[in-house]
Amino acid sequence: MSHLLFFFLVLPLLLESKAKAIEAGDNCSLITHQITGKIGGVINYSSRLGKEQKVAMEMAVEDYFRSSCSKQLTLQLEDSGGDSSRVASATTELIRSKRVQSIIGAMTAQETGLFSEVDMSMKNIPIISLTSPAITPPSMAHQLPYFLQMSNHITLHMQCIVDIVGHFKWRKVTALYEHKNGFSAYSGIITLLSDKLKVVNSEISYHSDLSSLSSISNPEITIEQELIKLRSKSNRVFIVSVSSLELAILLFEKANQMRMMEKDYVWIVTDEIASLLDSVDSSVVNNMQGVIGFKTNFARTRDTFKSFKSRFRNKYGSKYPEEEEYSNPSIFALRAYDATWAIARAMEKSQGKITSKELSGNILSSNFEGLSGTVRFENNVLWQSPSFEIINVVGNSYRVMAVWSPKFGFSQSEEKYNGATANSSLKNLGPVYWPGGMPSTNPRGWAISDADTPLKIGVPAMGAFKQFVRVTFDQTQNATRVTGFTINVFEAVVKRLPYNLPYVLVPFYGTYDEMVEQVYRNGLDAAVGDTEIMADRFQYVEFSQPYVDSGLVMVVTQKAETSHATWMLKTFTKKLWLLMIAMHVFIGLLVWLIERGNNTEFDGIGTMLWFSVTIIFYAHRQPLTSNLSRLVLTPWLFVILIVVASFTASLSSAMTVSRLEPSVLDIETLQRTNAPVGCNGNSFIVRYLINALLFKPENIKKINSIHDYPEAFETGYVKAAFFVEPHARVFLGKYCKGYTKAGPTVKLGGFGFVFPKGSPLAFDISEATLKVIESGELRQLEELLSSSNCTSRTTAIDTSGLGLEPFAGLFILSGTIAAFGSLVAIFRLAGRNVHILSSIQTELTRRGIWRWASLQLSRKSCTKETSST
C-alpha cells in the first residue's frame, strides 16, 4: 500500500519535470534511437555559391540535431577550390580516410563517372550533386547507380529559353557556356538547345566555349578577346546558358566596357546567374542593366523560409562579414539544406549499420516538404513542379515580368500561375528595359557591324525580261552595272531600313533555281530579282514580303473576224429585247382600248397591231381623239427615240470595228493537239508546265529573250507562250497588236527577295517592303515600268450588248403613266357597259340560274361558319 501511494505521489512530479525539459528544448532523453552517420561535402569555399552551400549544410545538421538529438551525425567538408582534380582527391579523401557514408558536392555526372573509373569506391556510395542544371548522360544509371542530382533537369531550362526567344521572334542566337577544367559536361547543352530552337524557327548562329576562371592565366584578356570576336559578328542575341557567377560578373563587366550593353544588344541569363542576383553588390547589377533571365521560383512567404532566412543571414554575416550586406540565401542554399536533410532522414530509417544500397534507396524514396519545395527524386533527379520567374535587371535590382512553367507557359504573377489565366505569351506584361536605357521596341536581334563584309546579293543575269533586271558592262568605268525595275524596288526598300546595309550585286549566270540553291548553300548571302515565290523553294530558303503580285498566264495570237448577222440581236440584251416588245404591245393595246368606240380609225385588232408597228418609225396615220391616249403615248415615243438612237450607234460600232479573239481558247486545246508552247528557259515555268500542267517535255520550247517571241509565233514555232503575269504585262505592252491573254490565270506567290533560312534580314526587308508599298512609291515605279507601253492596243470589243440599266428611268416613267392610263380606261369601260351587266342578270334570274347560284353560295357560307364554330 505504501509503495502504491509513493507511485501516485512521485509520478506527477516526474511528468511535470519532463514537460519542463521539453519546453526548454531538452527532449533528447525521450529519444530511444539516435542515428550515427557521417555526411561528406565537397564545395568551393572561394565562390559565393560554395559559401552559401557550406553555411546551409551546417545549419541543416544543427537543425536536425535539435529535432532528433543526433549527436553522432557529423558533417565533413572539403574545399574543391573550383578545380575538378581537387574534387576527385577530396572525394577520395572523404570516402577512404574519413569514412563518410554519403557525399554532397558540386560535381557533375561526367566528372564523377570519369573519377569512378580510377577510384571504384565512388560507385558504391550515394552522391548528391548540387550542380545546376541536372544533366543525365545515357550511361549514368548503369555507371553511377547511386548518383543523384538535386536540381531541375536541363530540358526545363532549355524550354524556358526557347519560349523567350520564340516570343521575341529572334531567328538567330549566340550561345555561351563555361567549359570547366577540360571536361565537356555542358557541351551537349548546345546540341539540346539547337534542337529545341528549331521549334520556334530559330537557330544558334555561333557558340562560344568559355574556360573556367581557375584554368585561365589572364581571365580579363581572354574574356575581352572572346567578346571582340562576338562583337564582330552580326548576331546580337547572347544566351549565357551555363556559367559560374564569378565568370558572369567578369563577362558583363567587360561587355559593359566594350559598349556591348547598349541599344540593339540582348543578353539572356539562366537560373545559375539570375538566382544569385540578390547576393551581389550594386556594381555587378549596374553592369547588367537590361539583362533578362529566369530564376527558380519558390515559396518565400512561408514561415519556415522566413525563419531560415533570418538565421542564415546571421550565420553567413558572422562567417563572411565582408559580404554581410548581401547575405540572402539563394535557391542553391535551400537545396544544399534539403539535400543534407534527405540524407539524415535516410540514415534515420535504418537500424544499426546501413549499406550504400539501402541508404541510396532511402534517399530516393524521400518525399518531404523542404525549403526548396517538395523533395522527391525520380530517375535519380530532383522531381519538382518547377516554375521560373522571368526577370529584367533594372536600376539597383530587377523586376519580375512573369512566371513561367513548362505546363502553362507565361503568366503575369505567381497567383495566376495555377489558374486558368496562364498563357503562353509575354504580351501585356509591361515594357522590357533593354540594354541602353529606356524601354523601347524589341531589339531585332542582329546588326550590321563595321567589320562585316558587304553582303553578296545575286541577280539573274540571263533573265528574258531585261526590264526587271539588266546586267551590262560599263567600259568607261570598267565596272558591271545592274539596273531594272526589281533593282529600283530593292534600293527603295533598303533606304527604308533603320540601319545601313552594305551589299554588292553579283550577276549570276544560271537558272533561277540554281541561284536559289546558291543562297541555300551560302554561296550567296541573298538574291534579288524577278524571282517567283514557290512552295518547293521554301524548303531551302526564305522569301521576303512579295513586292509584286503574280500568276501564270497564257498568251496567244489574236485572229480577226468580220461581223455576223446575229450581231443585230446582240446589240441589246435578251432582257431588254423582251421588255421592249412587252411594253410596245401593252402601249398599243392601251391606246386602242381608249380610242375604240369614239374613234372609227381604231375599230379592228389589225388596226391596233398596225398602229404598234408604225409608231416605231413615227409613220402612224391614225389621229388620236382622246387626251388620255396622247398622255400615254408621248413618253413612250420619247423612249423609242432614245432606244433607237442607242441601237443604231451600237450596231454601227459592231459592224465597222473588227472583233478580235484568241486563236487558242484554253490549255486543254494545246494539250489535245500537241501544240508547241514557249516559256523562259531559265525560270521555274519549264518544270511547272511538266509537273503541274502535264505538258510533254518535247512540246516545251525554251525562249530566252522577249524579242524572240514574235518570230516564234509568226513561224509557228510556238502556238502559245506562258509568262508570269508581270512579264506578260510587259510583253503585251511592248507588242501592241496581235496578242492577247487566254484561259484562266494560275495564282502564284508573287516576286520576292531570297534569303537563307533563319536570316533575320528577311523580316526587316519584308517590313521595309510593306512601307514602300504603302507609301505609293512602288506604284510610281510600276508606272515607270509601263510608261513605254502602247496606249492604243486593239482589243476585242464588248459584244455583251446594252442592258436595261441605261434606260431604267425612261421605262419607269413611261410605265407609270401607262399604268395610270390603264386604270382610267378600265373605269370608263365599266361605266359604259353597266346596262349590259344588268340585262345579263335579268336573263339569268328568269331562267333560275341566278337563284340557284345564290343558294349554293349561301350554303357554302353556312358550312364554313359551322365548321369554324
Side-chain angles (χ1 to χ4, degrees):
M1 186 68 181
S2 60
H3 291 286
L4 186 60
L5 180 61
F6 175 79
F7 177 78
F8 282 108
L9 291 175
V10 175
L11 182 59
L13 296 176
L14 291 174
L15 292 176
E16 183 180 358
S17 175
K18 180 58 66 177
K20 290 181 179 179
I22 294 175
E23 290 178 2
D26 184 15
N27 59 345
C28 294
S29 59
L30 294 178
I31 304 301
T32 58
H33 170 70
Q34 297 184 3
I35 65 172
T36 300
K38 292 182 180 180
I39 302 176
V42 180
I43 54 180
N44 183 3
Y45 286 4
S46 61
S47 69
R48 170 69 195 209
L49 186 62
K51 294 175 183 178
E52 288 192 15
Q53 291 169 342
K54 180 176 183 294
V55 172
M57 292 167 66
E58 291 173 351
M59 290 178 61
V61 172
E62 294 172 0
D63 292 348
Y64 199 83
F65 165 70
R66 291 193 186 95
S67 65
S68 63
C69 298
S70 299
K71 296 182 179 179
Q72 299 302 316
L73 179 64
T74 58
L75 180 65
Q76 303 287 334
L77 297 177
E78 295 288 337
D79 182 15
S80 69
D83 184 84
S84 293
S85 59
R86 291 182 61 179
V87 170
S89 61
T91 304
T92 302
E93 174 71 15
L94 289 172
I95 296 174
R96 293 186 175 181
S97 301
K98 299 188 178 179
R99 304 292 180 179
V100 297
Q101 297 165 284
S102 182
I103 294 178
I104 303 173
M107 63 281 291
T108 66
Q110 286 188 332
E111 289 173 340
T112 307
L114 182 62
F115 298 151
S116 65
E117 296 298 324
V118 179
D119 187 352
M120 297 297 294
S121 60
M122 290 188 184
K123 294 184 177 182
N124 301 320
I125 185 172
I127 298 177
I128 298 182
S129 172
L130 298 177
T131 55
S132 178
I135 303 175
T136 54
S139 61
M140 189 185 75
H142 173 73
Q143 187 178 8
L144 300 171
Y146 305 142
F147 185 85
L148 294 82
Q149 300 187 77
M150 193 74 178
S151 57
N152 294 319
H153 200 270
I154 180 64
T155 54
L156 298 175
H157 289 220
M158 296 298 103
Q159 187 58 53
C160 187
I161 292 174
V162 167
D163 282 359
I164 294 174
V165 172
H167 168 75
F168 292 108
K169 295 181 175 62
W170 293 315
R171 307 301 298 275
K172 291 187 177 183
V173 301
T174 298
L176 297 85
Y177 72 97
E178 184 175 357
H179 196 91
K180 296 184 177 180
N181 300 296
F183 291 97
S184 58
Y186 300 109
S187 58
I189 292 179
I190 301 302
T191 302
L192 178 62
L193 179 59
S194 178
D195 292 340
K196 288 189 172 295
L197 282 172
K198 294 177 182 178
V199 178
V200 294
N201 202 19
S202 183
E203 64 178 348
I204 298 176
S205 63
Y206 180 78
H207 65 88
S208 178
D209 180 1
L210 303 174
S211 300
S212 60
L213 296 182
S214 60
S215 62
I216 306 175
S217 58
N218 196 329
E220 293 190 4
I221 294 179
T222 303
I223 296 297
E224 187 173 337
Q225 290 175 346
E226 188 62 33
L227 289 176
I228 292 174
K229 188 188 302 183
L230 297 179
R231 189 176 60 181
S232 66
K233 301 183 180 300
S234 60
N235 187 260
R236 291 293 182 265
V237 180
F238 302 107
I239 300 174
V240 185
S241 55
V242 175
S243 171
S244 64
L245 177 64
E246 289 70 27
L247 177 61
I249 290 174
L250 180 58
L251 176 69
F252 284 106
E253 179 184 350
K254 287 298 178 182
N256 197 29
Q257 293 174 0
M258 296 173 62
R259 304 174 67 90
M260 293 179 67
M261 299 297 297
E262 297 184 354
K263 186 179 179 182
D264 293 333
Y265 282 89
V266 177
W267 290 87
I268 302 174
V269 297
T270 55
D271 191 32
E272 295 72 45
I273 301 172
S275 286
L276 292 172
L277 288 180
D278 292 319
S279 307
V280 297
D281 59 36
S282 58
S283 63
V284 176
V285 176
N286 289 336
N287 288 330
M288 297 178 64
Q289 292 296 299
V291 170
I292 60 175
F294 60 90
K295 55 181 295 188
T296 300
N297 185 28
F298 60 90
R300 297 178 177 83
T301 59
R302 291 190 306 175
D303 293 337
T304 52
F305 172 75
K306 292 180 179 179
S307 175
F308 173 81
K309 178 181 178 180
S310 177
R311 293 186 295 113
F312 181 90
R313 287 177 58 88
N314 292 333
K315 189 174 183 66
Y316 191 92
S318 62
K319 278 183 170 290
Y320 310 103
E322 69 280 4
E323 301 179 22
E324 182 178 5
E325 184 179 355
Y326 310 100
S327 56
N328 290 320
S330 67
I331 184 65
F332 308 112
L334 306 186
R335 287 174 180 165
Y337 183 94
D338 289 343
T340 307
W341 265 79
I343 295 175
R345 289 168 65 95
M347 290 178 175
E348 189 178 16
K349 291 181 181 179
S350 64
Q351 301 290 331
K353 190 174 181 180
I354 184 172
T355 64
S356 295
K357 184 177 182 180
E358 292 173 338
L359 180 59
S360 178
N362 291 342
I363 296 174
L364 286 173
S365 63
S366 297
N367 191 351
F368 65 94
E369 196 65 29
L371 292 174
S372 62
T374 302
V375 178
R376 182 167 65 89
F377 292 92
E378 186 169 315
N379 296 326
N380 289 28
V381 176
L382 180 66
W383 188 260
Q384 294 177 336
S385 298
S387 63
F388 294 129
E389 292 179 334
I390 310 301
I391 66 168
N392 181 204
V393 179
V394 182
N396 295 325
S397 184
Y398 58 85
R399 55 183 288 265
V400 177
M401 297 190 298
V403 175
W404 179 91
S405 72
K407 183 177 181 180
F408 296 103
F410 298 106
S411 60
Q412 291 183 336
S413 64
E414 184 178 358
E415 289 74 18
K416 292 184 178 181
Y417 155 66
N418 290 318
T421 57
N423 57 75
S424 58
S425 175
L426 274 170
K427 62 182 179 181
N428 300 326
L429 299 185
V432 180
Y433 289 79
W434 299 105
M438 297 299 293
S440 59
T441 56
N442 298 330
R444 60 179 179 270
W446 70 283
I448 301 296
S449 65
D450 296 336
D452 282 342
T453 57
L455 298 178
K456 291 192 302 179
I457 299 180
V459 293
M462 300 176 63
F465 288 81
K466 304 303 182 183
Q467 292 87 346
F468 289 85
V469 178
R470 180 185 298 273
V471 178
T472 57
F473 183 76
D474 190 343
Q475 295 182 351
T476 59
Q477 298 183 0
N478 193 26
T480 300
R481 295 187 60 210
V482 183
T483 57
F485 169 74
T486 298
I487 305 304
N488 295 336
V489 173
F490 182 70
E491 290 174 349
V493 168
V494 170
K495 291 178 181 178
R496 299 273 179 170
L497 294 175
Y499 48 84
N500 178 47
L501 181 67
Y503 66 90
V504 58
L505 298 177
V506 180
F508 183 80
Y509 295 90
T511 66
Y512 285 79
D513 285 340
E514 290 171 345
M515 183 174 67
V516 170
E517 184 179 357
Q518 281 297 307
V519 176
Y520 168 68
R521 299 189 181 280
N522 296 323
L524 295 170
D525 296 317
V528 170
D530 46 349
T531 311
E532 191 69 46
I533 299 175
M534 303 291 294
D536 55 351
R537 291 173 175 172
F538 257 114
Q539 300 176 16
Y540 310 101
V541 296
E542 289 192 13
F543 286 90
S544 68
Q545 170 78 21
Y547 61 89
V548 171
D549 293 332
S550 180
L552 187 66
V553 299
M554 181 174 73
V555 174
V556 298
T557 56
Q558 292 176 323
K559 59 181 182 180
E561 292 184 354
T562 58
S563 61
H564 297 282
T566 57
W567 282 19
M568 184 177 68
L569 296 178
K570 294 181 179 179
T571 304
F572 290 157
T573 62
K574 184 184 295 185
K575 184 177 180 180
L576 182 58
W577 277 118
L578 293 175
L579 182 61
M580 284 283 297
I581 294 172
M583 282 289 294
H584 199 69
V585 172
F586 174 71
I587 295 294
L589 178 61
L590 181 57
V591 172
W592 177 75
L593 287 175
I594 295 172
E595 292 292 329
R596 73 180 296 272
N598 297 327
N599 191 342
T600 58
E601 298 289 337
F602 288 87
D603 283 341
I605 296 296
T607 304
M608 182 269 293
L609 295 176
W610 179 249
F611 175 78
S612 299
V613 173
T614 56
I615 62 172
I616 297 177
F617 308 101
Y618 301 96
H620 55 283
R621 296 181 179 181
Q622 295 86 345
L624 300 180
T625 60
S626 173
N627 290 330
L628 182 61
S629 299
R630 297 187 184 99
L631 177 64
V632 171
L633 188 60
T634 299
W636 182 242
L637 291 176
F638 185 69
V639 172
I640 291 175
L641 175 64
I642 299 300
V643 171
V644 169
S646 300
F647 177 84
T648 304
S650 180
L651 184 61
S652 299
S653 175
M655 296 183 67
T656 56
V657 178
S658 297
R659 184 167 70 98
L660 302 177
E661 65 179 15
S663 59
V664 180
L665 296 179
D666 50 41
I667 294 175
E668 289 74 14
T669 302
L670 294 171
Q671 294 173 327
R672 186 174 60 254
T673 59
N674 279 328
V677 297
C679 66
N680 182 1
N682 293 320
S683 75
F684 75 96
I685 301 178
V686 176
R687 55 186 172 86
Y688 189 86
L689 292 177
I690 297 173
N691 299 332
L693 300 183
L694 303 180
F695 276 89
K696 295 179 180 179
E698 59 268 21
N699 290 337
I700 300 175
K701 309 302 180 182
K702 299 179 180 179
I703 301 176
N704 297 323
S705 173
I706 185 176
H707 306 291
D708 296 337
Y709 283 96
E711 182 180 354
F713 276 112
E714 291 173 3
T715 59
Y717 184 64
V718 297
K719 296 297 183 183
F722 287 89
F723 302 101
V724 289
E725 198 165 20
H727 290 174
R729 288 198 299 267
V730 172
F731 176 79
L732 294 175
K734 184 176 181 62
Y735 299 99
C736 304
K737 297 182 180 180
Y739 304 97
T740 186
K741 296 180 184 179
T745 299
V746 180
K747 184 65 177 176
L748 298 175
F751 289 174
F753 306 123
V754 187
F755 299 94
K757 275 286 188 182
S759 172
L761 184 59
F763 178 81
D764 289 355
I765 290 291
S766 294
E767 185 178 8
T769 301
L770 288 175
K771 292 179 180 178
V772 171
I773 295 173
E774 293 170 357
S775 67
E777 188 174 359
L778 181 63
R779 180 180 296 275
Q780 295 175 3
L781 294 174
E782 288 178 334
E783 291 174 353
L784 292 175
L785 176 66
S786 58
S787 61
S788 60
N789 295 353
C790 299
T791 58
S792 59
R793 295 184 63 241
T794 303
T795 57
I797 63 173
D798 184 9
T799 59
S800 59
L802 291 172
L804 176 62
E805 291 77 10
F807 314 107
L810 295 175
F811 276 98
I812 291 173
L813 176 63
S814 179
T816 302
I817 295 175
F820 171 76
S822 64
L823 291 175
V824 174
I826 290 172
F827 283 120
R828 284 182 178 180
L829 183 63
R832 188 185 307 158
N833 299 312
V834 67
H835 65 281
I836 298 176
L837 295 176
S838 299
S839 62
I840 292 174
Q841 181 181 0
T842 303
E843 182 65 19
L844 292 176
T845 303
R846 186 179 64 80
R847 296 187 179 186
I849 297 175
W850 183 266
R851 184 170 178 272
W852 175 82
S854 301
L855 289 173
Q856 291 297 322
L857 291 173
S858 62
R859 286 177 183 177
K860 290 183 178 180
S861 176
C862 293
T863 303
K864 291 181 179 179
E865 291 178 359
T866 304
S867 61
S868 61
T869 303

